[in-house]
Protein backbone atom coordinates (compact mmCIF):
# COMPACT_ATOMS: atom_id res chain seq x y z
CA UNK A 1 0.00 0.00 0.00
CA UNK A 2 1.36 3.42 -0.96
CA UNK A 3 2.09 6.03 1.71
CA UNK A 4 0.45 9.44 1.91
CA UNK A 5 3.52 11.12 0.34
CA UNK A 6 4.18 8.43 -2.23
CA UNK A 7 5.66 10.00 -5.38
CA UNK A 8 7.44 12.79 -3.47
CA UNK A 9 11.24 12.64 -3.69
CA UNK A 10 13.39 14.32 -1.04
CA UNK A 11 17.09 15.16 -1.28
CA UNK A 12 18.41 15.19 2.27
CA UNK A 13 21.64 17.17 2.75
CA UNK A 14 21.11 17.44 6.50
CA UNK A 15 22.87 15.64 9.33
CA UNK A 16 22.77 15.17 13.12
CA UNK A 17 19.16 15.48 14.33
CA UNK A 18 16.76 18.29 13.32
CA UNK A 19 16.94 17.76 9.55
CA UNK A 20 17.14 13.95 9.67
CA UNK A 21 14.19 13.91 12.10
CA UNK A 22 12.12 15.78 9.50
CA UNK A 23 13.19 13.55 6.62
CA UNK A 24 12.62 10.37 8.62
CA UNK A 25 9.04 11.49 9.13
CA UNK A 26 8.67 12.27 5.44
CA UNK A 27 9.99 8.78 4.69
CA UNK A 28 7.51 7.32 7.19
CA UNK A 29 4.75 9.08 5.25
CA UNK A 30 5.86 7.41 2.03
CA UNK A 31 8.26 9.92 0.48
CA UNK A 32 11.43 8.66 -1.21
CA UNK A 33 14.33 10.12 0.80
CA UNK A 34 17.88 10.20 -0.57
CA UNK A 35 20.36 10.86 2.23
CA UNK A 36 23.53 12.58 1.01
CA UNK A 37 26.59 11.74 3.14
CA UNK A 38 30.30 12.44 3.14
CA UNK A 39 32.41 9.59 1.72
CA UNK A 40 34.54 7.99 4.41
CA UNK A 41 32.68 9.30 7.44
CA UNK A 42 29.04 9.97 6.66
CA UNK A 43 26.61 11.59 9.06
CA UNK A 44 28.36 12.59 12.30
CA UNK A 45 25.89 10.59 14.40
CA UNK A 46 27.06 7.30 12.86
CA UNK A 47 29.91 7.44 15.39
CA UNK A 48 28.01 8.96 18.32
CA UNK A 49 28.24 5.96 20.59
CA UNK A 50 28.31 3.76 22.46
CA UNK A 51 25.92 2.06 22.25
CA UNK A 52 26.50 0.62 18.78
CA UNK A 53 24.50 -1.93 16.87
CA UNK A 54 25.73 -5.51 17.11
CA UNK A 55 26.28 -7.69 14.06
CA UNK A 56 25.04 -11.27 13.82
CA UNK A 57 28.10 -12.46 15.79
CA UNK A 58 27.53 -9.97 18.61
CA UNK A 59 30.38 -7.63 17.69
CA UNK A 60 30.01 -3.86 17.41
CA UNK A 61 29.21 -2.73 13.87
CA UNK A 62 30.45 0.81 14.54
CA UNK A 63 26.93 2.05 13.69
CA UNK A 64 25.66 4.13 16.62
CA UNK A 65 22.14 3.66 17.95
CA UNK A 66 21.83 7.47 17.75
CA UNK A 67 22.07 7.38 13.94
CA UNK A 68 19.40 4.69 13.75
CA UNK A 69 17.01 6.77 15.86
CA UNK A 70 16.50 9.24 13.03
CA UNK A 71 17.37 7.75 9.63
CA UNK A 72 15.10 4.81 8.89
CA UNK A 73 13.35 4.57 5.56
CA UNK A 74 16.11 6.34 3.58
CA UNK A 75 18.64 5.40 0.93
CA UNK A 76 22.22 6.62 1.35
CA UNK A 77 24.30 8.20 -1.40
CA UNK A 78 27.88 9.14 -0.47
CA UNK A 79 29.02 12.17 -2.50
CA UNK A 80 31.86 14.62 -1.92
CA UNK A 81 30.20 17.99 -2.53
CA UNK A 82 33.51 19.84 -2.23
CA UNK A 83 34.47 18.48 -5.66
CA UNK A 84 33.04 19.94 -8.85
CA UNK A 85 31.83 16.56 -10.07
CA UNK A 86 30.08 15.98 -6.76
CA UNK A 87 28.36 19.35 -7.01
CA UNK A 88 27.23 18.51 -10.53
CA UNK A 89 25.68 15.28 -9.26
CA UNK A 90 23.75 17.13 -6.55
CA UNK A 91 22.49 19.72 -9.03
CA UNK A 92 21.34 16.96 -11.36
CA UNK A 93 19.58 15.17 -8.50
CA UNK A 94 17.94 18.42 -7.36
CA UNK A 95 16.39 18.65 -10.79
CA UNK A 96 14.76 15.27 -10.14
CA UNK A 97 13.52 16.03 -6.61
CA UNK A 98 10.54 17.79 -5.07
CA UNK A 99 12.18 18.78 -1.79
CA UNK A 100 15.71 19.55 -0.59
CA UNK A 101 16.51 19.92 3.10
CA UNK A 102 19.85 21.15 4.46
CA UNK A 103 21.30 22.41 7.71
CA UNK A 104 24.58 24.00 6.67
CA UNK A 105 25.61 27.36 8.11
CA UNK A 106 24.09 30.39 6.40
CA UNK A 107 25.70 30.68 2.98
CA UNK A 108 27.56 27.39 3.45
CA UNK A 109 26.22 25.82 0.28
CA UNK A 110 26.55 28.92 -1.92
CA UNK A 111 30.27 28.32 -2.43
CA UNK A 112 29.37 24.96 -3.97
CA UNK A 113 26.63 26.37 -6.17
CA UNK A 114 24.02 24.48 -4.15
CA UNK A 115 22.20 27.38 -2.50
CA UNK A 116 18.50 28.02 -3.09
CA UNK A 117 18.94 30.57 -5.88
CA UNK A 118 21.30 28.28 -7.80
CA UNK A 119 19.05 25.24 -7.51
CA UNK A 120 15.88 27.23 -8.15
CA UNK A 121 17.34 27.95 -11.59
CA UNK A 122 17.65 24.19 -12.12
CA UNK A 123 14.23 23.34 -10.65
CA UNK A 124 11.82 26.27 -10.10
CA UNK A 125 9.33 23.95 -8.37
CA UNK A 126 11.88 22.85 -5.76
CA UNK A 127 10.96 23.26 -2.09
CA UNK A 128 14.22 24.10 -0.33
CA UNK A 129 14.16 23.85 3.47
CA UNK A 130 17.09 25.45 5.31
CA UNK A 131 17.54 24.70 9.01
CA UNK A 132 20.03 26.80 10.99
CA UNK A 133 20.53 27.81 14.58
CA UNK A 134 19.37 31.39 14.15
CA UNK A 135 17.84 31.77 10.68
CA UNK A 136 18.89 33.34 7.41
CA UNK A 137 18.57 36.90 8.77
CA UNK A 138 19.41 38.81 11.94
CA UNK A 139 22.51 39.63 13.98
CA UNK A 140 23.16 35.99 14.95
CA UNK A 141 22.70 34.52 11.47
CA UNK A 142 26.38 33.55 11.11
CA UNK A 143 26.52 31.68 14.42
CA UNK A 144 26.40 27.93 14.72
CA UNK A 145 23.50 26.68 16.80
CA UNK A 146 23.31 23.54 18.92
CA UNK A 147 20.34 22.18 20.81
CA UNK A 148 21.87 22.63 24.29
CA UNK A 149 22.74 26.30 23.75
CA UNK A 150 19.37 26.94 22.09
CA UNK A 151 17.51 25.49 25.09
CA UNK A 152 19.48 27.94 27.21
CA UNK A 153 19.15 31.01 24.96
CA UNK A 154 15.50 30.31 24.14
CA UNK A 155 14.35 30.24 27.76
CA UNK A 156 13.55 26.55 28.18
CA UNK A 157 16.28 25.97 30.76
CA UNK A 158 15.09 28.96 32.80
CA UNK A 159 11.83 27.14 33.51
CA UNK A 160 13.29 23.62 33.83
CA UNK A 161 14.78 22.27 37.06
CA UNK A 162 14.20 22.64 40.79
CA UNK A 163 13.50 26.12 42.11
CA UNK A 164 16.70 26.25 44.14
CA UNK A 165 18.80 24.16 41.79
CA UNK A 166 20.73 24.70 38.57
CA UNK A 167 18.83 25.43 35.34
CA UNK A 168 18.46 22.15 33.46
CA UNK A 169 18.14 21.05 29.86
CA UNK A 170 15.62 18.39 28.96
CA UNK A 171 16.78 14.79 28.75
CA UNK A 172 16.14 14.74 24.99
CA UNK A 173 17.38 17.29 22.41
CA UNK A 174 13.94 18.85 22.31
CA UNK A 175 14.80 21.97 20.28
CA UNK A 176 16.18 19.75 17.50
CA UNK A 177 13.24 17.34 17.59
CA UNK A 178 10.66 20.13 17.56
CA UNK A 179 12.49 21.87 14.71
CA UNK A 180 12.33 18.62 12.75
CA UNK A 181 8.59 18.40 13.36
CA UNK A 182 8.06 22.03 12.28
CA UNK A 183 10.18 21.38 9.18
CA UNK A 184 8.08 18.36 8.21
CA UNK A 185 4.89 20.40 8.62
CA UNK A 186 6.30 23.34 6.66
CA UNK A 187 7.43 21.12 3.79
CA UNK A 188 3.99 19.54 3.48
CA UNK A 189 2.36 22.99 3.51
CA UNK A 190 4.76 24.11 0.77
CA UNK A 191 3.91 21.00 -1.24
CA UNK A 192 0.22 21.90 -1.03
CA UNK A 193 0.99 25.46 -2.16
CA UNK A 194 3.01 24.11 -5.08
CA UNK A 195 0.16 21.80 -6.04
CA UNK A 196 -2.09 24.85 -6.41
CA UNK A 197 0.41 27.32 -7.86
CA UNK A 198 3.26 25.32 -9.39
CA UNK A 199 5.70 27.41 -7.35
CA UNK A 200 8.52 26.14 -5.20
CA UNK A 201 9.90 28.19 -2.31
CA UNK A 202 12.56 28.38 0.37
CA UNK A 203 11.71 27.60 3.99
CA UNK A 204 13.82 29.44 6.57
CA UNK A 205 13.66 27.57 9.88
CA UNK A 206 15.71 28.47 12.97
CA UNK A 207 16.19 26.44 16.14
CA UNK A 208 15.96 29.58 18.28
CA UNK A 209 12.64 30.59 16.67
CA UNK A 210 11.27 27.11 17.31
CA UNK A 211 12.41 27.14 20.92
CA UNK A 212 10.76 30.50 21.53
CA UNK A 213 7.57 29.36 19.78
CA UNK A 214 7.35 26.18 21.88
CA UNK A 215 7.54 28.02 25.18
CA UNK A 216 3.74 27.79 24.76
CA UNK A 217 1.87 28.73 27.95
CA UNK A 218 5.06 29.79 29.73
CA UNK A 219 5.81 32.32 27.01
CA UNK A 220 2.26 33.62 26.99
CA UNK A 221 2.23 33.80 30.80
CA UNK A 222 5.17 36.20 30.55
CA UNK A 223 3.74 38.26 27.68
CA UNK A 224 0.36 38.60 29.41
CA UNK A 225 1.67 39.44 32.88
CA UNK A 226 5.15 40.84 32.45
CA UNK A 227 6.26 38.47 35.21
CA UNK A 228 9.26 36.28 34.43
CA UNK A 229 8.42 32.64 35.28
CA UNK A 230 10.95 30.67 37.25
CA UNK A 231 11.75 27.02 37.81
CA UNK A 232 9.14 24.95 39.62
CA UNK A 233 10.70 21.52 39.45
CA UNK A 234 7.91 19.12 38.50
CA UNK A 235 5.14 21.56 39.41
CA UNK A 236 2.92 23.38 36.91
CA UNK A 237 2.76 27.19 36.79
CA UNK A 238 -1.00 27.28 36.10
CA UNK A 239 -2.47 24.17 37.77
CA UNK A 240 -2.24 22.85 41.37
CA UNK A 241 -1.74 20.07 42.45
CA UNK A 242 0.02 19.01 39.27
CA UNK A 243 3.45 17.54 39.99
CA UNK A 244 5.40 14.53 41.23
CA UNK A 245 4.86 13.39 44.80
CA UNK A 246 6.66 10.89 47.01
CA UNK A 247 4.54 7.96 48.17
CA UNK A 248 5.29 5.44 50.91
CA UNK A 249 7.41 3.38 48.50
CA UNK A 250 8.31 5.56 45.50
CA UNK A 251 7.08 8.47 43.41
CA UNK A 252 4.11 9.09 41.12
CA UNK A 253 2.71 12.08 39.31
CA UNK A 254 -0.62 13.61 40.31
CA UNK A 255 -2.17 15.78 37.59
CA UNK A 256 -5.36 17.33 38.95
CA UNK A 257 -6.67 19.33 36.01
CA UNK A 258 -9.95 20.75 37.33
CA UNK A 259 -12.03 21.30 40.45
CA UNK A 260 -14.08 18.11 40.05
CA UNK A 261 -10.91 16.04 39.99
CA UNK A 262 -9.65 17.80 43.12
CA UNK A 263 -12.88 16.90 44.94
CA UNK A 264 -12.36 13.24 43.98
CA UNK A 265 -8.75 13.33 45.11
CA UNK A 266 -9.72 14.72 48.49
CA UNK A 267 -12.36 12.01 48.93
CA UNK A 268 -9.87 9.24 48.10
CA UNK A 269 -7.34 10.78 50.50
CA UNK A 270 -9.99 10.97 53.25
CA UNK A 271 -9.78 14.76 53.48
CA UNK A 272 -13.06 16.02 52.01
CA UNK A 273 -12.76 19.26 53.94
CA UNK A 274 -9.83 20.37 51.77
CA UNK A 275 -12.12 20.55 48.74
CA UNK A 276 -14.45 22.98 50.52
CA UNK A 277 -11.67 25.08 52.05
CA UNK A 278 -11.95 28.54 50.38
CA UNK A 279 -8.18 28.54 49.85
CA UNK A 280 -8.40 25.41 47.69
CA UNK A 281 -11.94 25.26 46.30
CA UNK A 282 -10.97 26.53 42.82
CA UNK A 283 -7.86 26.19 40.70
CA UNK A 284 -7.36 29.96 40.88
CA UNK A 285 -7.18 29.76 44.65
CA UNK A 286 -5.08 26.59 44.65
CA UNK A 287 -2.47 28.30 42.44
CA UNK A 288 -2.57 31.36 44.70
CA UNK A 289 -2.19 29.20 47.83
CA UNK A 290 0.20 26.65 46.37
CA UNK A 291 2.60 27.00 49.28
CA UNK A 292 -0.12 25.91 51.73
CA UNK A 293 -1.72 23.12 49.71
CA UNK A 294 1.28 21.28 48.30
CA UNK A 295 2.76 20.34 51.71
CA UNK A 296 -0.65 18.97 52.78
CA UNK A 297 -0.94 16.87 49.62
CA UNK A 298 2.67 15.69 50.00
CA UNK A 299 1.92 14.48 53.54
CA UNK A 300 -1.19 12.62 52.39
CA UNK A 301 0.60 10.94 49.47
CA UNK A 302 3.26 9.48 51.74
CA UNK A 303 0.64 7.59 53.76
CA UNK A 304 0.11 4.96 51.04
CA UNK A 305 2.22 3.16 48.44
CA UNK A 306 2.34 4.02 44.74
CA UNK A 307 0.13 1.14 43.58
CA UNK A 308 -2.53 2.04 46.16
CA UNK A 309 -2.72 5.57 44.84
CA UNK A 310 -2.54 4.63 41.18
CA UNK A 311 -5.35 2.08 41.47
CA UNK A 312 -7.71 4.33 43.37
CA UNK A 313 -7.02 7.56 41.54
CA UNK A 314 -7.29 5.91 38.11
CA UNK A 315 -10.55 4.19 39.00
CA UNK A 316 -12.08 7.56 39.87
CA UNK A 317 -10.76 9.37 36.81
CA UNK A 318 -8.13 11.43 38.61
CA UNK A 319 -5.13 11.75 36.26
CA UNK A 320 -2.01 10.10 37.64
CA UNK A 321 0.79 7.87 36.49
CA UNK A 322 3.96 6.05 37.41
CA UNK A 323 7.38 7.54 36.66
CA UNK A 324 8.72 4.80 34.41
CA UNK A 325 12.29 4.01 33.49
CA UNK A 326 12.79 3.13 29.81
CA UNK A 327 12.73 -0.62 30.45
CA UNK A 328 9.36 -0.13 32.11
CA UNK A 329 8.17 2.08 29.24
CA UNK A 330 8.80 -0.57 26.59
CA UNK A 331 7.36 -3.30 28.84
CA UNK A 332 4.17 -1.32 29.43
CA UNK A 333 1.15 -3.21 28.03
CA UNK A 334 -0.28 -0.09 26.38
CA UNK A 335 3.03 0.74 24.70
CA UNK A 336 3.33 -2.86 23.53
CA UNK A 337 -0.25 -2.93 22.27
CA UNK A 338 0.46 0.19 20.21
CA UNK A 339 3.59 -1.52 18.80
CA UNK A 340 5.86 1.40 19.60
CA UNK A 341 8.89 -0.88 19.28
CA UNK A 342 9.40 -2.43 15.83
CA UNK A 343 12.13 -4.58 14.26
CA UNK A 344 13.70 -3.76 10.90
CA UNK A 345 15.90 -5.89 8.65
CA UNK A 346 19.54 -4.77 8.43
CA UNK A 347 22.30 -6.19 6.19
CA UNK A 348 24.90 -6.43 8.99
CA UNK A 349 22.93 -6.67 12.22
CA UNK A 350 20.20 -8.96 10.90
CA UNK A 351 17.51 -6.93 12.60
CA UNK A 352 17.59 -3.61 14.43
CA UNK A 353 14.99 -2.09 16.75
CA UNK A 354 13.25 1.18 15.97
CA UNK A 355 10.75 3.36 17.79
CA UNK A 356 7.56 3.61 15.76
CA UNK A 357 6.05 6.80 14.44
CA UNK A 358 3.13 7.70 16.76
CA UNK A 359 0.79 8.57 13.85
CA UNK A 360 -1.73 5.92 12.82
CA UNK A 361 -3.23 6.41 9.34
CA UNK A 362 -6.30 4.39 8.46
CA UNK A 363 -5.84 4.57 4.67
CA UNK A 364 -2.06 5.03 4.25
CA UNK A 365 -0.36 3.13 7.09
CA UNK A 366 3.35 3.61 7.66
CA UNK A 367 5.58 0.94 6.16
CA UNK A 368 8.50 -0.02 8.41
CA UNK A 369 10.31 -1.86 5.64
CA UNK A 370 13.70 -0.12 5.56
CA UNK A 371 16.22 0.33 8.38
CA UNK A 372 18.61 3.28 8.47
CA UNK A 373 21.07 2.75 5.58
CA UNK A 374 24.73 1.93 5.72
CA UNK A 375 26.94 4.77 4.44
CA UNK A 376 26.77 4.84 0.65
CA UNK A 377 24.72 1.65 0.61
CA UNK A 378 22.63 2.82 -2.35
CA UNK A 379 25.07 5.13 -4.15
CA UNK A 380 25.47 3.12 -7.31
CA UNK A 381 21.82 2.13 -7.68
CA UNK A 382 20.59 5.70 -7.10
CA UNK A 383 22.91 7.28 -9.66
CA UNK A 384 22.01 4.65 -12.22
CA UNK A 385 18.30 4.83 -11.45
CA UNK A 386 17.90 8.62 -11.36
CA UNK A 387 20.71 9.90 -13.59
CA UNK A 388 21.26 6.86 -15.80
CA UNK A 389 24.96 7.01 -14.87
CA UNK A 390 26.98 4.48 -16.93
CA UNK A 391 29.13 1.93 -15.12
CA UNK A 392 32.33 3.43 -16.50
CA UNK A 393 31.38 6.88 -15.17
CA UNK A 394 30.63 5.37 -11.77
CA UNK A 395 34.02 3.69 -11.65
CA UNK A 396 35.75 6.91 -12.65
CA UNK A 397 33.94 8.98 -9.99
CA UNK A 398 34.64 6.37 -7.34
CA UNK A 399 38.34 6.29 -8.26
CA UNK A 400 38.46 10.09 -7.81
CA UNK A 401 36.78 9.86 -4.39
CA UNK A 402 33.74 11.79 -5.60
CA UNK A 403 31.39 8.95 -4.67
CA UNK A 404 31.55 5.93 -2.42
Amino acid sequence: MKGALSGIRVLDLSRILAGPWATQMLADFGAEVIKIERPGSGDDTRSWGPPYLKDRDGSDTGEAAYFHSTNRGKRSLAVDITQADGQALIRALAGQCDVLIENFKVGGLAKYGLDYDALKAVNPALIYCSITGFGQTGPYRERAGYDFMIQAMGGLMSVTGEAEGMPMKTGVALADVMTGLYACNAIQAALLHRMRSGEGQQIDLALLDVQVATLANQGMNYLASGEVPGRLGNAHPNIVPYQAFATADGHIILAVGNDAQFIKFCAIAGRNELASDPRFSSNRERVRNRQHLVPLVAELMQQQGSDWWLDRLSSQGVPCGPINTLDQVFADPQVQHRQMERQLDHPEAGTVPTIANPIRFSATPIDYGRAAPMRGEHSRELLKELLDLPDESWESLRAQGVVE
Side-chain angles (χ1 to χ4, degrees):
M1 185 177 294
K2 292 185 176 181
L5 294 182
S6 179
I8 298 299
R9 183 177 292 139
V10 179
L11 194 59
D12 182 5
L13 273 69
S14 68
R15 66 269 191 218
I16 315 294
L17 184 53
W21 195 264
T23 52
Q24 177 171 267
M25 181 164 284
L26 294 171
D28 284 348
F29 292 170
E32 175 189 356
V33 177
I34 302 168
K35 183 175 181 66
I36 303 300
E37 300 192 70
R38 294 186 301 271
S41 57
D43 190 309
D44 295 342
T45 61
R46 285 187 180 276
S47 61
W48 282 14
Y52 299 100
L53 294 185
K54 304 291 186 182
D55 63 18
R56 291 178 176 85
D57 298 323
S59 302
D60 280 349
T61 62
E63 291 279 309
Y66 194 120
F67 176 80
H68 282 262
S69 73
T70 189
N71 283 292
R72 70 166 171 261
K74 308 173 187 179
R75 290 193 285 176
S76 173
L77 169 56
V79 177
D80 183 357
I81 67 169
T82 68
Q83 297 193 49
D85 285 341
Q87 296 157 20
L89 288 175
I90 298 300
R91 279 191 289 273
L93 288 168
Q96 303 273 347
C97 290
D98 301 283
V99 177
L100 184 148
I101 184 166
E102 58 90 9
N103 60 351
F104 285 73
K105 291 180 181 179
V106 172
L109 287 176
K111 61 185 176 182
Y112 304 129
L114 301 176
D115 54 301
Y116 174 60
D117 287 336
L119 295 185
K120 180 182 179 181
V122 174
N123 181 0
L126 183 68
I127 292 158
Y128 189 108
C129 180
S130 298
I131 296 175
T132 56
F134 300 97
Q136 302 294 308
T137 62
Y140 301 164
R141 63 190 292 269
E142 303 289 346
R143 296 188 188 181
Y146 297 90
D147 177 274
F148 190 8
M149 60 184 283
I150 296 297
Q151 287 194 38
M153 294 180 69
L156 184 60
M157 288 180 63
S158 76
V159 294
T160 305
E162 295 296 335
E164 303 303 322
M166 181 180 292
M168 297 294 292
K169 69 178 180 65
T170 60
V172 173
L174 199 58
D176 274 339
V177 170
M178 293 299 294
T179 300
L181 292 174
Y182 271 96
C184 185
N185 277 318
I187 287 167
Q188 291 177 90
L191 285 168
L192 287 172
H193 170 75
R194 191 187 69 176
M195 184 175 67
R196 293 191 297 266
S197 68
E199 297 176 341
Q201 61 180 301
Q202 184 175 21
I203 298 167
D204 173 9
L205 198 55
L207 268 67
L208 182 62
D209 295 351
V210 170
Q211 182 58 84
V212 173
T214 53
L215 290 173
N217 60 298
Q218 290 280 40
M220 278 302 299
N221 287 348
Y222 164 71
L223 292 177
S225 69
E227 296 179 8
V228 177
R231 298 186 300 281
L232 294 173
N234 287 310
H236 195 289
N238 302 109
I239 312 172
V240 175
Y242 196 103
Q243 63 188 76
F245 287 99
T247 66
D249 58 4
H251 293 81
I252 68 169
I253 63 102
L254 175 66
V256 172
N258 57 48
D259 297 339
Q261 291 172 1
F262 184 66
I263 292 170
K264 291 179 181 179
F265 166 76
C266 293
I268 293 168
R271 293 293 302 275
N272 287 302
E273 73 277 8
L274 292 178
S276 58
D277 188 317
R279 297 175 299 169
F280 313 136
S281 59
S282 70
N283 184 68
R284 176 191 290 267
E285 294 304 319
R286 290 193 295 276
V287 171
R288 184 175 294 167
N289 292 289
R290 176 195 305 267
Q291 72 276 19
H292 301 299
L293 177 59
V294 169
L296 295 174
V297 174
E299 183 179 354
L300 291 170
M301 296 296 290
Q302 292 183 51
Q303 294 176 8
Q304 302 291 344
S306 295
D307 288 343
W308 189 95
W309 283 111
L310 293 170
D311 289 344
R312 284 159 179 78
L313 292 169
S314 296
S315 68
Q316 295 300 310
V318 179
C320 62
I323 301 172
N324 287 333
T325 55
L326 292 195
D327 57 329
Q328 294 170 321
V329 170
F330 287 103
D332 186 282
Q334 180 66 22
V335 174
Q336 292 187 343
H337 176 81
R338 300 289 287 179
Q339 296 182 284
M340 288 305 297
E341 179 184 351
R342 307 289 180 103
Q343 294 292 326
L344 303 175
D345 291 335
H346 187 269
E348 282 194 358
T351 60
V352 297
T354 194
I355 300 174
N357 192 303
I359 298 170
R360 302 292 188 268
F361 292 109
S362 65
T364 55
I366 291 168
D367 178 12
Y368 295 95
R370 193 192 296 273
M374 298 173 65
R375 186 187 71 245
E377 180 181 347
H378 308 96
S379 294
R380 190 166 192 165
E381 72 177 55
L382 281 165
L383 293 177
K384 188 172 184 63
E385 175 186 323
L386 299 180
L387 303 182
D388 198 24
L389 189 75
D391 289 342
E392 57 270 21
S393 296
W394 161 262
E395 295 297 345
S396 175
L397 290 171
R398 186 173 64 168
Q400 298 171 60
V402 175
V403 296
E404 180 186 50

